[in-house]
Amino acid sequence: MSPPPSPPQPPADPPAVPPKTPSRGRRAGSDERARVRAEALARIDARVKARAAGSNGHAREHAELTNGKAQRAAATNKAARPAAGGASAPAPGGRPKAGGRPKAAGQLKALGRPEGDRQGGEDPSLTSPVGALTATRERSDATEPKPSRTRREPGIAGGDRRLIQWSGHYASAGRIIGVTVLCFSLWTLLDANQLLHEASISSPGVRRTAAMTVLRPVAAVANLLHFSGLVNWGDSELGHTTGPGGNQNLPQPVTGIPTAQPPNHLMNGTNPLPHGWHKGISEIVPPPPTIPVIPQPTPRDRLTILDIGDSIGEDLGFGLGDIFTGDPYVNIRQEGVESTGLSDPSYYDWPGHLQQYLEKYHPGAVVIMMGANDDTDIEGATPGSPAWVKLYTPRVATLMEQCLAARARVIWVGLPPMGGGNITNAFVKQVNSIYMAQTRLHPGVTFVPSWNLLAGPHGKFTEYLKIHGAEVQIRTSDGVHLDPAGWDLLARALVQPMQQAWHVNLHVLP
Amino acid sequence: MLFPTTDFAIFFGIVFILNWLLAPFPRRWKVFIIAASYVFYAWWDWRFIFLLAISTVTTIAGGRLVHRSVSERARRFWLVATLTAELGLLAWFKYYGFVYQNVDSALHRLGLASLSAPMTVTLPVGISFFTFMGLSYVFDIYRRRLEPSPWLDVAVFVCFFPHLVAGPIVRGSDLLPQITSSSRRNPRHIDLPRAAYLIFGGLFKKVVLSSYISSAIVDTVFANPGLHSAPEVLFAVWGYAVQIYCDFSGYTDIAIGCALLLGFRFPENFNSPYTARSLQDFWRRWHMTLSFWLRDYVYIPLGGNQGSSKWTMYRNIMITMLLGGLWHGAGWTFVAWGALHGAGQCTGHWRRGRRVARGLPAQSDGRLAVAWQRFATFQYVCLGWVFFRATSFSNAFAVLGRLTSGWALPSPLVTFPVLLTILVGIGTQYVPQGVSARAQDVFGRLRPALQGITLAGILLVITTMGPPGVAPFIYFRF
């Protein structure tokens, strides 16, 4: 910390009350117009000179009020003293003292201002507030010279405290209201589809009903006028799920989702962070209502974790089962099915089966690991092509949204490198990137990669890994599946992300 | 109530209109703004408005008792009493769990019986901020820099909703004169371009940059650093630097912009912190209101740099920074973060002193030297952020340890959008302020319809680029 710098200069403030402008629209004689114009120019000139001299009306008022108070304070032996420790005392004009009721009546009169600023009294210096609100015209550059602005370049050391600087342009409250109404109306019209989509997946209630009631017709108008095309294009380029006509096929509201409560600050010795809260500000803010909250599991109220996926997901389920066997806090339900995936729902309908498992087990969390069987055509689109990605992505999103709607958090585990079978590592990387992208779009879902954990030194497939000094087989010889040591390694690697993402202590023994 | 939500948009719309309608009637305006601020605060949990009320009453009473006391001893007594009351509240809500865990852990290590089960203590939002504001008011009265204001004015000062939740930490000398003369605010002289720049710029930083980088790389890597490559960890650390800056500065920018629309000027809180050439410079640019608060109410009362030896100054710096770290959160990693900054500042002082003693300037000003200073300062600050973000020391060391190996592993999380976000988050701080001033100038000259269209376009870009599934006015992540 450096010694305190010199006190700041008074900021250049605009005057509290604007000068009268020459009235417009009135036909006056040329002499009269010239006189009025000259007066206005003279006032502007005086103000520019006053600013150039380093003071303006507002600062002058402050200085005079403060000097008056300083004189009174000096008279009663209460003058400002510099603080202990070497800090320089602020100049009286630079930091006005706030006092009790300002004895400003006489001083304000002396400044040519009407009396005002008494608590409980009206201030006649301003016109009617309604008139002020409805005033829409404000040409600040015609009447107001801009206050000087300190131009700060990066790299110059910052100085002492200073209030936010003016831009030099001003608007009336009425104009601001008009601009705001126009802004929000236009934005609502252009983004109606996305807003309607958000409302449709929110918790049922009055707010949702009101939002849907308002947004449905707006979205219909927006689609009719093709206003939504720009936003839909942006959404599709960014990989968002809401596309053209995004208000079609709205998911049905799911009942019974409570508003998330603020997480308990203390959870059996852990010090979890509120979801999405960086540690910069530690005060707890309740997580948004769409993210399920997992309460700290107890032996009486155990956490059920559902594991689904293809055969690799099954392997992971074995690993989770092993580490949580006998755990009084966690139930593992393994429902992985080999040879399944999202590309071919006619073979195995994962959304339908997932819904059944959700209703059967009511899990607090779902672990998903699949994709190894998804390198097949979807509706004629070859795996990995843009058309295939556009068809595959919503299927991933659907599983996530199903879990979230059932109040379950999700851990989506990425695929590891492959060393055989029909699946290529390029395809694995592509589907992993889809899972990652959808994770970002669905708060409450956490993506945990397995690639680096199960890869060899050069990031490639390996059947063996050195664990605790010994070479251990972690993958099967088919180059795809996990061996018991591998699924144990992967399952243990999930524990910390689970605990951090869900703010719970799973009491897993090392 | 959180800023980028529909609730706040409706709330602020109502408050904006009533604020200006009631502006000529000071007393009514003050009662209204206090009521609105309590509604704002109660939106999270209505029980905490009592805490806010208690803190306000303590501030008002403490200021008056200090002011009315004649003897220095009595003044100091009432100052200490007020400090104890305010800090006691803060300590209870914020540090109970931290103290409990450490005492319990120490007893366990000594083989003694553990403490009974801990109580549930929920930390109220914003308590650190309004407590510090109240303390600065009483301190300034004690130092005779301020005279007590009417109780209604002080109540507005403490609970004014734009600064209530996350600052900036406004001083009485800055805000009370504005409150006292609130009826002289001119409803025709509202700085719309500056307010719009702050609010929409803050939204962009918060909703687009911060949300994206945290979900794209930071959260994933910090959750389990061992699963990621060294480049991913490195970019996650830089990404967190961008995230915390955009999060915090975005939020306070929105607060300052909202206050400006209501006719009040708050102090600046961030000034391109990642362009700092030293840690001393960094703390003149980062969370400036807290930094200056710590300087004026901790560092200087401890003696500042006026002690008999440099070691006294170093001690004062360390104490100040350790307390600053602890203010941010109840955890040893926060203390470590403060210690890192304290040690860095002490080292910087020592180096500058040595250079001056050798007849050299305190800092080289050559282009290369400046570039190196900025780069080195930024990396050191990022080192501190690792501890700030990590959930434990083991997590922090796991992150740092990962930087020493795994450089050859694939880095799927390091994507072009991630790189671009980091570049934008840091690069915009190097843009001269004249550019933003020019943009505000251009916006200010537009007709109202064009202003509305421009703002709608900016809002559309923000909501489109922000995390979908969660439109910024429905969902808020901070």
Coordinates of all heavy atoms in Angstrom, one line a residue, chain A residues 7-50:
Chain A
P7 N -5.4 14.9 -2.3 CA -6.9 14.8 -2.4 C -7.3 15.1 -3.9 O -6.6 15.8 -4.6 CB -7.4 15.9 -1.5 CG -6.2 16.4 -0.8 CD -5.0 16.0 -1.4
P8 N -8.4 14.5 -4.3 CA -8.9 14.7 -5.6 C -9.4 16.0 -5.9 O -9.8 16.7 -5.0 CB -10.0 13.6 -5.7 CG -10.5 13.5 -4.4 CD -9.3 13.7 -3.4
Q9 N -9.4 16.5 -7.1 CA -10.0 17.7 -7.5 C -11.5 17.5 -7.5 O -12.0 16.4 -7.8 CB -9.5 18.2 -8.9 CG -7.9 18.4 -8.9 CD -7.6 19.5 -7.9 OE1 -8.2 20.6 -7.8 NE2 -6.6 19.3 -7.1
P10 N -12.2 18.6 -7.3 CA -13.7 18.5 -7.4 C -14.0 18.0 -8.8 O -13.5 18.5 -9.8 CB -14.2 19.9 -7.1 CG -13.1 20.6 -6.5 CD -11.8 20.0 -7.0
P11 N -14.9 17.1 -8.9 CA -15.3 16.6 -10.3 C -16.1 17.7 -11.0 O -16.8 18.5 -10.4 CB -16.2 15.4 -10.0 CG -16.7 15.6 -8.6 CD -15.6 16.4 -7.9
A12 N -16.0 17.7 -12.3 CA -16.8 18.6 -13.1 C -18.2 18.1 -13.2 O -18.5 17.1 -13.8 CB -16.1 18.8 -14.4
D13 N -19.1 18.8 -12.6 CA -20.5 18.4 -12.6 C -21.3 19.2 -13.5 O -21.0 20.4 -13.6 CB -21.1 18.5 -11.2 CG -20.5 17.5 -10.2 OD1 -19.9 16.5 -10.7 OD2 -20.6 17.7 -9.0
P14 N -22.3 18.7 -14.1 CA -23.2 19.6 -14.8 C -24.0 20.4 -13.8 O -24.2 20.0 -12.6 CB -24.1 18.6 -15.6 CG -24.1 17.4 -14.7 CD -22.8 17.3 -14.0
P15 N -24.6 21.5 -14.2 CA -25.4 22.3 -13.3 C -26.7 21.5 -13.0 O -27.2 20.7 -13.7 CB -25.7 23.5 -14.1 CG -25.5 23.1 -15.5 CD -24.5 22.1 -15.5
A16 N -27.2 21.7 -11.8 CA -28.3 21.0 -11.3 C -29.6 21.4 -12.1 O -30.5 20.7 -12.3 CB -28.6 21.2 -9.8
V17 N -29.6 22.7 -12.5 CA -30.8 23.2 -13.2 C -30.3 23.8 -14.5 O -29.4 24.6 -14.5 CB -31.5 24.3 -12.4 CG1 -32.7 24.8 -13.2 CG2 -32.0 23.7 -11.1
P18 N -30.9 23.4 -15.6 CA -30.4 23.9 -16.9 C -30.8 25.3 -17.2 O -31.8 25.8 -16.6 CB -31.0 23.0 -17.9 CG -32.3 22.6 -17.3 CD -32.0 22.5 -15.8
P19 N -30.0 26.0 -17.9 CA -30.4 27.4 -18.3 C -31.6 27.4 -19.2 O -31.8 26.4 -19.9 CB -29.2 28.0 -18.9 CG -28.5 26.8 -19.5 CD -28.8 25.6 -18.6
K20 N -32.3 28.5 -19.2 CA -33.4 28.6 -20.1 C -32.9 28.7 -21.5 O -32.0 29.5 -21.8 CB -34.3 29.7 -19.8 CG -35.1 29.5 -18.5 CD -36.1 30.6 -18.3 CE -37.1 30.3 -17.2 NZ -36.4 30.2 -15.9
T21 N -33.4 28.0 -22.4 CA -33.0 28.1 -23.8 C -34.0 29.1 -24.5 O -35.1 29.3 -24.1 CB -33.1 26.8 -24.6 OG1 -34.5 26.4 -24.6 CG2 -32.3 25.8 -23.8
P22 N -33.5 29.7 -25.6 CA -34.4 30.6 -26.3 C -35.6 29.8 -26.8 O -35.4 28.7 -27.3 CB -33.6 31.1 -27.5 CG -32.1 30.8 -27.1 CD -32.2 29.7 -26.1
S23 N -36.8 30.3 -26.6 CA -38.0 29.5 -26.9 C -38.0 29.4 -28.4 O -37.6 30.3 -29.2 CB -39.2 30.2 -26.4 OG -39.3 31.5 -27.0
R24 N -38.4 28.2 -28.8 CA -38.4 27.9 -30.3 C -39.9 28.0 -30.8 O -40.8 27.8 -30.1 CB -37.9 26.5 -30.5 CG -36.4 26.4 -30.1 CD -35.9 25.1 -30.3 NE -34.6 24.9 -29.9 CZ -33.5 24.7 -30.7 NH1 -33.8 24.5 -32.0 NH2 -32.3 24.6 -30.3
G25 N -40.0 28.1 -32.1 CA -41.3 28.1 -32.7 C -42.1 29.4 -32.6 O -43.2 29.4 -32.9
R26 N -41.5 30.4 -32.0 CA -42.2 31.6 -31.9 C -41.6 32.6 -32.8 O -40.4 32.9 -32.8 CB -42.1 32.1 -30.4 CG -42.9 33.3 -30.2 CD -43.1 33.6 -28.7 NE -41.7 33.6 -28.0 CZ -41.6 34.1 -26.8 NH1 -42.6 34.7 -26.2 NH2 -40.4 34.1 -26.3
R27 N -42.4 33.2 -33.6 CA -41.9 34.1 -34.6 C -41.6 35.5 -33.9 O -42.6 36.2 -33.5 CB -42.9 34.4 -35.7 CG -43.1 33.1 -36.6 CD -44.0 33.4 -37.7 NE -44.1 32.2 -38.5 CZ -43.2 31.9 -39.5 NH1 -42.2 32.6 -39.7 NH2 -43.4 30.8 -40.2
A28 N -40.4 35.8 -33.7 CA -40.1 37.1 -33.1 C -39.4 37.9 -34.1 O -38.9 37.4 -35.1 CB -39.1 36.8 -31.9
G29 N -39.3 39.2 -33.8 CA -38.6 40.1 -34.7 C -37.2 39.8 -34.8 O -36.6 39.1 -33.9
S30 N -36.5 40.2 -35.8 CA -35.1 39.8 -36.0 C -34.3 40.4 -34.9 O -33.3 39.8 -34.4 CB -34.6 40.3 -37.4 OG -34.8 41.7 -37.5
D31 N -34.6 41.6 -34.4 CA -33.8 42.2 -33.3 C -34.0 41.4 -32.1 O -33.0 41.2 -31.3 CB -34.3 43.7 -33.1 CG -33.9 44.6 -34.3 OD1 -33.0 44.1 -35.1 OD2 -34.4 45.7 -34.4
E32 N -35.3 41.1 -31.8 CA -35.5 40.3 -30.6 C -34.8 39.0 -30.6 O -34.2 38.6 -29.6 CB -37.1 40.1 -30.5 CG -37.5 39.3 -29.3 CD -37.3 40.0 -28.0 OE1 -37.1 41.2 -28.0 OE2 -37.3 39.3 -26.9
R33 N -34.8 38.3 -31.8 CA -34.2 37.0 -31.9 C -32.7 37.2 -31.7 O -32.0 36.4 -31.1 CB -34.4 36.4 -33.3 CG -35.8 35.8 -33.4 CD -36.1 35.4 -34.8 NE -35.2 34.4 -35.3 CZ -35.3 33.1 -35.1 NH1 -36.4 32.7 -34.5 NH2 -34.5 32.2 -35.6
A34 N -32.1 38.3 -32.3 CA -30.7 38.5 -32.1 C -30.3 38.7 -30.7 O -29.3 38.2 -30.2 CB -30.3 39.7 -33.0
R35 N -31.2 39.5 -30.0 CA -30.9 39.8 -28.6 C -30.9 38.5 -27.7 O -30.0 38.2 -26.9 CB -31.9 40.8 -28.0 CG -31.6 41.2 -26.6 CD -32.7 42.1 -26.1 NE -34.0 41.5 -26.0 CZ -34.3 40.6 -25.0 NH1 -33.5 40.3 -24.1 NH2 -35.5 40.1 -25.0
V36 N -32.0 37.7 -28.0 CA -32.1 36.5 -27.2 C -30.9 35.5 -27.5 O -30.4 34.9 -26.6 CB -33.5 35.8 -27.5 CG1 -33.5 34.3 -27.0 CG2 -34.6 36.6 -27.0
R37 N -30.6 35.5 -28.8 CA -29.5 34.6 -29.1 C -28.2 35.1 -28.5 O -27.4 34.3 -28.0 CB -29.4 34.6 -30.7 CG -28.3 33.7 -31.2 CD -28.3 33.8 -32.8 NE -27.1 33.3 -33.3 CZ -26.6 32.1 -33.4 NH1 -27.4 31.1 -33.0 NH2 -25.4 31.8 -33.9
A38 N -28.0 36.4 -28.5 CA -26.7 36.9 -27.9 C -26.7 36.5 -26.4 O -25.6 36.2 -25.9 CB -26.7 38.4 -28.1
E39 N -27.8 36.7 -25.7 CA -27.9 36.4 -24.3 C -27.5 34.9 -24.1 O -26.8 34.6 -23.1 CB -29.3 36.7 -23.7 CG -29.5 38.2 -23.5 CD -31.0 38.4 -23.0 OE1 -31.7 37.4 -22.8 OE2 -31.3 39.6 -22.9
A40 N -28.1 34.1 -24.9 CA -27.9 32.6 -24.7 C -26.4 32.3 -24.9 O -25.8 31.6 -24.2 CB -28.7 31.8 -25.7
L41 N -25.8 32.9 -26.0 CA -24.4 32.6 -26.3 C -23.5 33.2 -25.1 O -22.5 32.6 -24.8 CB -24.0 33.3 -27.6 CG -24.6 32.6 -28.8 CD1 -24.3 33.3 -30.1 CD2 -24.0 31.2 -29.0
A42 N -23.9 34.3 -24.6 CA -23.1 34.9 -23.5 C -23.2 33.9 -22.3 O -22.2 33.7 -21.6 CB -23.7 36.2 -23.1
R43 N -24.4 33.4 -22.0 CA -24.4 32.4 -20.9 C -23.6 31.2 -21.1 O -22.9 30.8 -20.2 CB -25.9 32.0 -20.6 CG -26.7 33.0 -19.9 CD -28.0 32.3 -19.4 NE -28.9 31.9 -20.5 CZ -29.8 32.7 -21.0 NH1 -29.9 34.0 -20.6 NH2 -30.5 32.3 -22.0
I44 N -23.6 30.7 -22.3 CA -22.8 29.5 -22.6 C -21.3 29.9 -22.5 O -20.5 29.1 -21.9 CB -23.1 29.0 -24.0 CG1 -24.5 28.5 -24.1 CG2 -22.1 28.0 -24.5 CD1 -25.0 28.2 -25.5
D45 N -21.0 31.1 -23.0 CA -19.6 31.5 -22.9 C -19.1 31.6 -21.4 O -18.0 31.2 -21.1 CB -19.4 32.8 -23.6 CG -18.0 33.2 -23.9 OD1 -17.2 32.3 -24.3 OD2 -17.6 34.3 -23.6
A46 N -20.0 32.2 -20.6 CA -19.6 32.3 -19.2 C -19.4 31.0 -18.5 O -18.5 30.8 -17.7 CB -20.7 33.1 -18.5
R47 N -20.3 30.1 -18.9 CA -20.2 28.7 -18.3 C -18.9 28.1 -18.7 O -18.2 27.4 -17.9 CB -21.4 27.9 -18.7 CG -21.5 26.7 -17.8 CD -22.9 26.0 -17.9 NE -23.9 26.9 -17.4 CZ -24.8 27.4 -18.2 NH1 -24.9 27.2 -19.5 NH2 -25.8 28.2 -17.7
V48 N -18.5 28.2 -20.0 CA -17.3 27.6 -20.5 C -16.1 28.1 -19.8 O -15.2 27.4 -19.3 CB -17.2 27.7 -22.0 CG1 -15.8 27.4 -22.5 CG2 -18.2 26.9 -22.7
K49 N -16.2 29.4 -19.6 CA -15.0 30.1 -18.9 C -15.0 29.6 -17.4 O -13.9 29.4 -16.9 CB -15.2 31.6 -18.9 CG -14.8 32.2 -20.3 CD -15.0 33.7 -20.3 CE -14.7 34.2 -21.8 NZ -15.2 35.6 -21.9
A50 N -16.1 29.5 -16.8 CA -16.1 29.1 -15.4 C -15.6 27.7 -15.3 O -14.8 27.4 -14.4 CB -17.6 29.2 -14.9

